Amino acid sequence: MEWTVNNAFKTYKDMDHPKSMMDVALIQNVDPVDIGLGSSEKGTIVVPTKRKKTMTSVYLKFFETAPDGKSRRCKFCGQSYSIATATGNLGRHLSNRHPGYDKSGDSVTSSAPQPITVVKKAQQQGKQQMDYDHINWLLVKWLILASLPPSTLEEKWLANSFKFLNPSIQLWPGERYKVKIREVFRSMQEDVMATLEKVSSKVSIILDFWSSYEQIFYMSVTCQWIDENWSFQQVLLDICQIPYPCGGSEIYHSLEKVLKMYNIESRVLSCTHDNSQNAIHACHTLKEELDGQKLGMFCYIPCAARTLNLIIEDGLRTTKPVISKVREFVLELNSSAKMSEDFIQLTAAYQEGSWKFPLETSARWSGNYQMLDIVCKAGKSMDGVMRKYEETIVGRTVLSPAEKNAVSIVHKYLEPFYKTTNNICTNKLLTIGLVLFFMDHISEMITLCKDSRLSSDWLKNAAEDMATKSRSYTTQVGNIFIFMTAILDPRIKCELIPESLSSGNYLEEARTLFIRNYSSSHFSSMTSGYGAQEIEDGGGVSFAEEIARKKRRVSLSNATDELTQYLSEPPAPIPTDVLEWWKVNSTRYPRLSVMARDFLAVQPTSVAPEDLFCSKGDEIDKQRFCMPHDSTQAILCIRSWMQGGIKLKCKSDEIDYERLMEMAGATTAENTVGLDKKQR
């Protein structure tokens, strides 16, 4: 039925008893009409000669009307509301935002009839007014967590969707979102700086690089350390644009700027890079600078995960065409419920295992191995589905015996590699020692294949290329710094260290390194203060100096005994929690545990292994590639900080998103109730 002013008014007048004012307010297209409520049993309808809007409420004294007469502003906080906002909503605003406000005028009595105005499109009494700035802050969080640029909210369809839900919603302009996100970035960055100021141990950094769709080259700088409670900590420091020509010099200057901004250049122990020549050049320059300032030890380390990925790529080279063919078939399986059902039935009939859909089709190592797995473990089922749907899946022919044989050989050869990457991806704390242990195992597998008379020529050629990359990595990590880092893993020690490291004179160098850097500098109260003031040859040695020298020798002996005692004990089992082990044994090795806190924070990879080997990395790459330059630094940094547990804040105010979600939920629920009432 189409409601009009005339029939609505006639219906109301002809009724024996007037409807409640709530019901009248639900009539949509009624012009403002004053209805006076007298003391008689029946309501009296008063139609004034001049229409007017009036609102009497005890809450209005806490709000002031804007000069244009279209809005009211809270005298406490300045929050604005439409002039048509229900007084109950104004009261809720005062209760929620300003508890304790003066309620002395809550009860107002008057014998005269009180005018009540029914306004066109009036809001339902009891509906909670939503602070629309809060909605915009929820959208800010959505943009950050989804890694979307602020321009997303400038799409008209999105703005119209919000208007459809609530016509009063006003989204910020795109530029204001950018401004707010930059303010959040600066505020949270201050928190990161404050956190790093409290770190008492050495820190290590890792570098990662990528290019965006705008052909802008970026570098992320991440810092990690182990805190006093033996918990591993990691935080993204910054995302920098590397200026053209994006070489080693430009990378070095950008990195140096970040280290100085956070005031950690004197505390950096190591830098793990992505194996690129430009990154190596930048790290070498940084080492020369730190060595020149005598700021302590520093070492740069290649990424083991990227090296292993390149080694595996060589192993897959011959079967790549077959893998591509199988991937096309699997994509069809994932997209067709009928085909996937047939595949499941055939695997059950042929007893070819259980397969969970959708099957992974990533072009990364985990997806490639899945393709090999299907051919070797569900070959009959795959052939059956291909034959049944050969007209539907044009170009997908059944694999030839030669192709299946090649896949079988590579699958068997790369199985230890797959198990290794799974262990690396799932390890709680990936240490240098554990990675060297795995890489040594990989090297042995390659050598066995290369030297075996049973290996085909094409596989031997692939193994030769794999061995070259493995030897290159071994050469880069062959130094005292890596040796010391490895043996401080209680699961590795000297027993499981690779032969390439154990063959040198590294153990004695490690003792010297330990004594020079950790026997006294961290325990000044246990050593003499005269160490820096040597007595001239011509003068006699005082009695006090003689005692002091004896104490120094005892101190050095004790320090050496800590390392000797630690290495003399058998390694802990591989499943051992390394940090928990040191937390328990730190009292036994007070000096060595300080060194372990520094060195165990050194990372063997510049990227999380699961991001490199698994499909998770595809999503990260897409987000980075698609992010425009004006949003990359702020959004990706804030997202990383929030995921690390840092609260989102703007300036000095922390944004309480739990409270905002409660308000949004309450508003949505009340809107739903109001809609139901209107429909009834």
Side-chain angles (χ1 to χ4, degrees), residues 296-310:
M297 299 173 293
F298 178 79
C299 181
Y300 52 94
I301 303 164
C303 176
R306 294 188 185 277
T307 301
L308 183 54
N309 194 54
L310 292 175

Side-chain angles (χ1 to χ4, degrees), residues 31 43 161 211 251 363 370 404 491:
D31 287 334
S161 298
S211 294
I251 292 174
Q370 173 98 89
K404 291 182 178 180
R491 302 167 299 182

Side-chain angles (χ1 to χ4, degrees), residues 51-71:
R51 296 175 180 175
K52 59 182 179 180
K53 295 181 180 181
T54 60
M55 182 180 287
T56 302
S57 170
V58 296
Y59 303 121
L60 292 183
K61 63 182 179 180
F62 300 107
F63 292 82
E64 57 184 8
T65 304
D68 59 5
K70 295 181 180 180
S71 62

Side-chain angles (χ1 to χ4, degrees), residues 199-352:
V199 177
S200 59
S201 62
K202 292 280 188 177
V203 299
S204 295
I205 57 174
I206 57 177
L207 309 180
D208 195 17
F209 302 89
W210 71 92
S211 294
S212 71
Y213 73 97
E214 298 171 310
Q215 295 300 303
I216 296 178
F217 190 56
Y218 291 101
M219 172 181 70
S220 67
V221 184
T222 305
C223 176
Q224 51 275 316
W225 69 94
I226 296 172
D227 63 20
E228 292 84 352
N229 295 320
W230 289 94
S231 295
F232 182 77
Q233 304 293 338
Q234 180 172 297
V235 65
L236 176 64
L237 299 183
D238 206 354
I239 291 176
C240 318
Q241 176 190 347
I242 306 300
Y244 184 83
C246 312
S249 176
E250 290 75 25
I251 292 174
Y252 163 70
H253 289 299
S254 298
L255 176 58
E256 182 186 38
K257 183 179 178 181
V258 173
L259 298 181
K260 288 184 176 180
M261 178 175 63
Y262 284 93
N263 194 30
I264 59 173
E265 65 269 26
S266 62
R267 291 183 284 158
V268 175
L269 182 64
S270 72
C271 178
T272 307
H273 55 78
D274 71 338
N275 304 355
S276 66
Q277 288 302 313
N278 287 332
I280 292 173
H281 174 75
C283 291
H284 182 72
T285 306
L286 178 62
K287 178 174 174 57
E288 289 181 337
E289 178 68 21
L290 296 178
D291 289 348
Q293 298 179 26
K294 297 182 179 180
L295 294 177
M297 299 173 293
F298 178 79
C299 181
Y300 52 94
I301 303 164
C303 176
R306 294 188 185 277
T307 301
L308 183 54
N309 194 54
L310 292 175
I311 291 173
I312 292 171
E313 284 294 311
D314 284 339
L316 290 170
R317 185 173 55 211
T318 304
T319 54
K320 273 298 182 69
V322 183
I323 290 173
S324 297
K325 186 185 294 187
V326 177
R327 179 175 285 110
E328 290 179 350
F329 166 73
V330 174
L331 287 170
E332 293 282 356
L333 274 184
N334 286 340
S335 62
S336 171
K338 185 68 172 66
M339 285 179 62
S340 58
E341 181 62 30
D342 288 343
F343 182 80
I344 291 173
Q345 291 178 359
L346 286 174
T347 54
Y350 289 126
Q351 296 183 346
E352 291 184 326

